[in-house]
Structure formats: C-alpha cells, structure tokens
Amino acid sequence: MDFNQVLMVSDEQGVRVGTPVLSGATVTAKVKSHGRDEKIKVFKMRRRKHYRKTQGHRQHYTEIEITGIK
C-alpha cells in the first residue's frame, strides 16, 4: 500500500513540510490488521423532560506498519 499525499518528511537533510502536500514523496506501508476499538457510551439527558438516551459506538480502525519512506 502506498500513500502519495505526504504532509511532512524528516531525514538527514532536515525537515521538509508541504503546502499542503509534498510532491514526489511516498510512504510505503503494510496492513497488519483490521479491528474495532473499545465501546464508548454516549448518554444524553434533558432534565425535567423525562428524556434519556443511551447509545454505544465502536470505531473501526486499520493498523499499518510503515516499511519505507521515499
């Protein structure tokens, strides 16, 4: 998997920051796993109105390993 929209690169020559992206810079990565984060609870309540709402949410994520920066 290659990422071609790189915002910043740091190497022996120093730090290069894009405006907004660097042209010609690519990052190569490997997908390690897909998963879901821990559940968070969203609780909404309006006092004196008998309104209560509880909702749960689990965010999907992809874990990657950076293998090279060009």
Side-chain angles (χ1 to χ4, degrees), residues 1-54:
M1 171 180 272
D2 291 334
F3 299 104
N4 56 5
Q5 294 182 347
V6 180
L7 301 177
M8 183 179 82
V9 172
S10 175
D11 54 6
E12 298 86 23
Q13 301 160 355
V15 176
R16 292 183 290 158
V17 179
T19 54
V21 294
L22 286 171
S23 61
T26 59
V27 174
T28 306
K30 169 172 85 169
V31 175
K32 291 182 79 173
S33 66
H34 297 286
R36 294 179 75 187
D37 220 359
E38 293 182 9
K39 181 175 276 196
I40 61 167
K41 292 184 180 178
V42 180
F43 180 72
K44 297 180 181 181
M45 183 176 123
R46 294 192 181 135
R47 62 184 188 155
R48 299 186 303 268
K49 304 294 182 193
H50 299 291
Y51 174 80
R52 286 189 212 152
K53 182 178 181 181
T54 304

